[in-house]
Amino acid sequence: MPDVTEASDGYVPPPRTGPNPFQVVDPNVITEDGGLISFFLKVALDEQGRRMMHGEFESMMALYKVVPDFVPKPHAWGSYKDIEGVHFFLCSFHDMTEEMPEVESFCESVARLHLNSVSPNNMYGFPLTTYMGPLPQDNTWCSTWEEYFKQGMVRMLDLERNVQGPSEKLERLTAQLFERVIPRLLRPLTVLKSMKPVLIHGDLWYGNCCTDNDTGRPIVFDACVQWAHNEYEIGTWRAVRYRFGKTYIKAYHKYYPISAPEEDHDDRNALYSIRYDLHSSSAYSSSPKFRRDVMATMETLIAKFPDGYEGWERDHEDLIREHNIKTSPPQSLGVQAIQG
């Protein structure tokens, strides 16, 4: 398992007394013909745990409907009848190797999820709260990606402040990020009509993906899905601690093209990484590193885009007119790579 300084999750279940929920339920089932079917059982405690198990079940169900070969099949969630305050999530068991998944098959599967998912209302969000580790995501539906990303950032900044304490410098940088950088990097996506809401796993770090020993294929789990910009999914891949890096990002974009404006791609990736670093700062109260990383990335982006969206709009009037006429988001391409 990863060291706490590397992990993306941070959920440590509270101690409990009484019956062991793993001894009450046998996750192995003998079939009529004598075969053995094994299941994976996850449990959590109290009301937050109940919401977490519900969110994970709905997340995995949404993924399974689009890419059933990429996730364990979810079967049920609920509460123990005879053990008060204990809740569960049940899915198929897979024998897995804990190592980085093969680059091409993994990135093709991630892209296939994004390309073949269709938002039920063409909006950004999800019908219920999902949890990234112990932290609840604000999945309230929004009509634009810029609005939805800001909303999620507000939630995560509040959670981070509650853990790490107030910071005048962070507050000052956040105000500039919201005023200049977020509109500058995200509004062109809408203006150029270069994106659509796609279903994302929501927490794709190396601890949530393995290789299935039976199929040799990559498999992912522990999802906290939402309908989002596809590039937001790979925001975690920027940080060295998540072990993906440029090799995986480049491979992913062989299957799902970079959104226009393409020249903003690396800066958008940096912006999205802030959101994940805020999560890590919230999850690990003893480490000041993640807040320092957040502020350093904010300072870089603020310095690069002093004129905000208005400056970009002024410099790209012809491009805006052209794309308003003919650009549409990418369509489902199955498993075929984008031909450059």
Side-chain angles (χ1 to χ4, degrees):
M1 292 299 291
D3 183 81
V4 69
T5 59
E6 299 179 286
S8 164
D9 194 314
Y11 177 66
V12 179
R16 69 177 308 275
T17 59
N20 186 332
F22 294 104
Q23 293 177 345
V24 173
V25 176
D26 184 354
N28 300 302
V29 175
I30 304 296
T31 63
E32 292 183 356
D33 60 0
L36 179 68
I37 300 178
S38 297
F39 297 89
F40 175 80
L41 176 68
K42 177 186 283 191
V43 300
L45 308 180
D46 305 324
E47 177 57 26
Q48 176 176 313
R50 187 192 69 81
R51 293 194 296 266
M52 290 171 64
M53 296 299 94
H54 186 194
E56 183 165 354
F57 175 79
E58 296 297 342
S59 292
M60 297 299 288
M61 279 295 296
L63 295 177
Y64 187 79
K65 290 177 181 177
V66 182
V67 282
D69 62 334
F70 195 38
V71 298
K73 182 178 181 179
H75 293 285
W77 81 278
S79 302
Y80 277 65
K81 180 179 179 181
D82 298 324
I83 309 179
E84 184 177 357
V86 178
H87 315 282
F88 69 88
F89 164 68
L90 188 72
C91 68
S92 296
F93 174 81
H94 290 253
D95 181 28
M96 298 180 291
T97 299
E98 292 188 34
E99 59 185 30
M100 292 294 291
E102 191 274 326
V103 175
E104 289 297 329
S105 60
F106 177 75
C107 292
E108 179 275 324
S109 295
V110 175
R112 182 158 43 90
L113 163 66
H114 297 163
L115 285 163
N116 292 344
S117 56
V118 180
S119 173
N121 53 13
N122 202 34
M123 298 178 72
Y124 300 89
F126 198 65
L128 80 162
T129 299
T130 55
Y131 284 74
M132 190 176 184
L135 304 180
Q137 315 302 295
D138 187 347
N139 293 334
T140 306
W141 292 108
C142 294
S143 59
T144 69
W145 172 237
E146 179 184 345
E147 178 188 8
Y148 182 70
F149 183 77
K150 283 183 176 180
Q151 169 183 283
M153 284 285 287
V154 168
R155 166 67 63 84
M156 196 51 56
L157 284 160
D158 287 344
L159 292 170
E160 197 271 351
R161 187 185 305 110
N162 291 338
V163 171
Q164 297 289 351
S167 165
E168 291 185 4
K169 180 179 180 181
L170 180 58
E171 294 295 329
R172 183 175 68 255
L173 291 172
T174 297
Q176 295 178 74
L177 189 85
F178 275 59
E179 179 183 358
R180 302 178 195 172
V181 177
I182 293 178
R184 165 61 186 84
L185 290 176
L186 303 190
R187 196 170 301 170
L189 296 166
T190 299
V191 171
L192 300 181
K193 303 177 183 176
S194 65
M195 61 170 292
K196 64 174 183 177
V198 307
L199 187 68
I200 68 168
H201 175 284
D203 191 14
L204 273 186
W205 67 295
Y206 73 88
N208 287 343
C209 56
C210 290
T211 299
D212 189 311
N213 285 331
D214 293 330
T215 66
R217 295 280 302 172
I219 191 165
V220 298
F221 39 87
D222 286 354
C224 52
V225 305
Q226 54 194 282
W227 295 91
H229 182 207
N230 66 292
E231 292 177 12
Y232 178 64
E233 182 88 279
I234 62 177
T236 53
W237 300 5
R238 188 179 190 88
V240 174
R241 67 184 182 272
Y242 293 135
R243 303 185 185 177
F244 287 103
K246 293 182 179 179
T247 299
Y248 281 80
I249 292 174
K250 183 177 180 180
Y252 169 80
H253 282 303
K254 289 168 57 179
Y255 300 98
Y256 200 120
I258 295 173
S259 301
E262 291 85 351
E263 62 270 20
D264 287 347
H265 175 264
D266 189 64
D267 294 314
R268 287 194 301 264
N269 187 254
L271 175 63
Y272 295 159
S273 76
I274 292 174
R275 164 64 182 74
Y276 292 105
D277 283 341
L278 284 169
H279 172 273
S280 295
S281 186
S282 303
Y284 303 114
S285 59
S286 62
S287 175
K289 174 187 182 300
F290 300 113
R291 175 176 276 188
R292 290 197 300 266
D293 290 346
V294 164
M295 292 192 293
T297 305
M298 285 183 173
E299 287 175 324
T300 299
L301 292 174
I302 290 167
K304 186 169 185 178
F305 300 111
D307 297 329
Y309 172 75
E310 289 73 18
W312 181 86
E313 184 180 41
R314 182 178 59 250
D315 294 338
H316 295 84
E317 292 181 355
D318 293 341
L319 179 66
I320 292 170
R321 281 195 295 269
E322 176 186 354
H323 277 75
N324 280 339
I325 294 173
K326 67 180 184 181
T327 299
S328 60
Q331 302 299 311
S332 172
L333 298 177
V335 299
Q336 298 299 315
I338 304 298
Q339 299 298 318

